[in-house]
Amino acid sequence: MTRSVIELRPDASDIRVARFATAAIVLSLAEAAIPLPLPGVKPGLGNIVVLIVLWRWGWRDAAWVALLRVFAASLLLGQFLAPGFFLGLSGALASLCALGAAMHLPRRWFGPVTASLLAAFAHIGAQLVVARLWLVPHDGVFALAPIFALAALVFGLINGLVAARMLAELEACGAPS
Amino acid sequence: MRLAARDWLALIRPGDYLVLLLAAVLVGLLGRHFWRGGEADRAEIRAAGKLFATVPLSAPQVITVPGPLGLTKIEVDIGRARVASDPGPRQYCVRQGWLSTAGAVAICAPNEVTLALLARQPAYDSLGY
């Protein structure tokens, strides 16, 4: 009998993704404890982590962190494969597309705030579409669109500012990229 | 470490203001588009159960409707309408005052005149489960 050992050697990128995904998951869990007036209106604190990873290490790592966060946080909260999970997953995928586009904008003019706002609007857009097609097959869900959009505006701005601030501090203390 | 408002503003780049402005405009447009359901845009006047006139709530005018007791005067204004005078004994429809939401109705039963406000999309006046 041959002994076969499969050895997985995590490289620097794997460790980084794991570390940041953990931070994002913790923020998602903390956020789940905040009472909110409407299902779906959330600050999305985990997106701060995704933004930082995107800005410093690129889209691939950011996608890993965002998707790991969606899966792990939903497993921990008992929401895995529940409607909320699919809404979150569709929102995460849409905001990753938006972030992919946003990171190609000239950085001199567009900072993390733009990326955060675009991601937030893509997030609620995708969630509304999925909710309309699947959960509430009636145009009535769109009556919530202005509330979701306002939340995306406010939280997108705040998350973007926090991410920009943390990126500036990371740069100031010369963290290796 | 506490940051003054000025330091936070320094984190926003010029293009970010543009995106922020566009996002705010989008929120406003969504609100206008999806929350206009309750706004009436025309008045439907019926006499003795038959349609007498449908008038848009876009210009002020006064419409006189004949009934079995006499003339009911309906005043239309921009975005609202009311029964200005009615020969009925109890004046309920007159005392309702201005109507401005879709689905609102004033009924002058003795003179058989009704005034109803309608919107582009019909609003529900009741819901059953």
Side-chain angles (χ1 to χ4, degrees):
Chain A
M1 189 179 123
T2 30
R3 267 181 54 172
S4 83
V5 176
I6 299 171
E7 201 176 339
L8 293 173
R9 269 181 216 281
D11 60 15
S13 157
D14 295 332
I15 293 168
R16 194 165 58 224
V17 165
R19 191 177 285 161
F20 280 103
T22 311
I25 292 160
V26 168
L27 284 174
S28 293
L29 291 183
E31 188 177 85
I34 304 172
L36 293 156
L38 252 183
V41 175
K42 284 199 273 191
L45 298 175
N47 295 324
I48 297 170
V49 181
V50 177
L51 275 172
I52 292 171
V53 173
L54 176 85
W55 222 248
R56 284 183 76 89
W57 293 286
W59 189 82
R60 194 184 150 275
D61 283 13
W64 268 110
V65 170
L67 293 175
L68 279 172
R69 187 203 64 151
V70 170
F71 280 88
S74 69
L75 278 170
L76 289 169
L77 291 168
Q79 290 277 318
F80 186 56
L81 298 184
F85 163 78
F86 289 105
L87 289 178
L89 181 63
S90 60
L93 290 172
S95 60
L96 279 172
C97 293
L99 288 174
M103 66 182 294
H104 293 299
L105 291 167
R107 291 215 174 174
R108 201 173 122 70
W109 299 102
F110 298 96
V113 174
T114 291
S116 177
L117 282 169
L118 291 179
F121 275 89
H123 204 281
I124 53 134
Q127 288 194 324
L128 271 174
V129 169
V130 170
R132 167 66 183 82
L133 291 177
W134 178 42
L135 294 174
V136 189
H138 184 267
D139 282 339
V141 277
F142 291 125
L144 294 175
I147 298 174
F148 286 147
L150 186 64
L153 178 67
V154 172
F155 293 130
L157 174 64
I158 293 173
N159 289 353
L161 283 173
V162 172
R165 160 90 189 281
M166 292 177 95
L167 282 163
E169 279 187 20
L170 276 172
E171 237 150 77
C173 71
S177 52
Chain B
M1 184 165 80
R2 286 199 58 194
L3 282 188
R6 188 160 35 84
D7 299 323
W8 282 111
L9 283 180
L11 295 170
I12 306 179
R13 298 178 200 182
D16 294 342
Y17 284 110
L18 182 71
V19 175
L20 201 54
L21 184 73
L22 289 177
V25 169
L26 178 65
V27 173
L29 287 178
L30 285 173
R32 264 182 65 129
H33 185 256
F34 288 112
W35 286 353
R36 279 171 62 103
E39 214 170 281
D41 67 346
R42 60 189 194 277
E44 190 186 77
I45 300 159
R46 285 174 179 271
K50 286 197 191 70
L51 188 64
F52 180 81
T54 306
V55 282
L57 301 179
S58 53
Q61 58 176 310
V62 176
I63 293 151
T64 310
V65 190
L69 298 184
L71 297 176
T72 299
K73 258 186 171 170
I74 287 169
E75 192 178 350
V76 172
D77 198 4
I78 295 159
R80 58 182 192 166
R82 67 167 175 168
V83 179
S85 73
D86 179 69
R90 283 174 289 273
Q91 300 285 303
Y92 289 140
C93 57
V94 179
R95 287 159 72 186
Q96 257 182 281
W98 289 103
L99 309 180
S100 58
T101 52
V105 181
I107 301 168
C108 305
N111 207 29
E112 297 176 10
V113 173
T114 64
L115 164 67
L117 298 196
L118 304 173
R120 277 173 307 147
Q121 301 147 335
Y124 297 108
D125 59 358
S126 67
L127 282 173
Y129 291 95

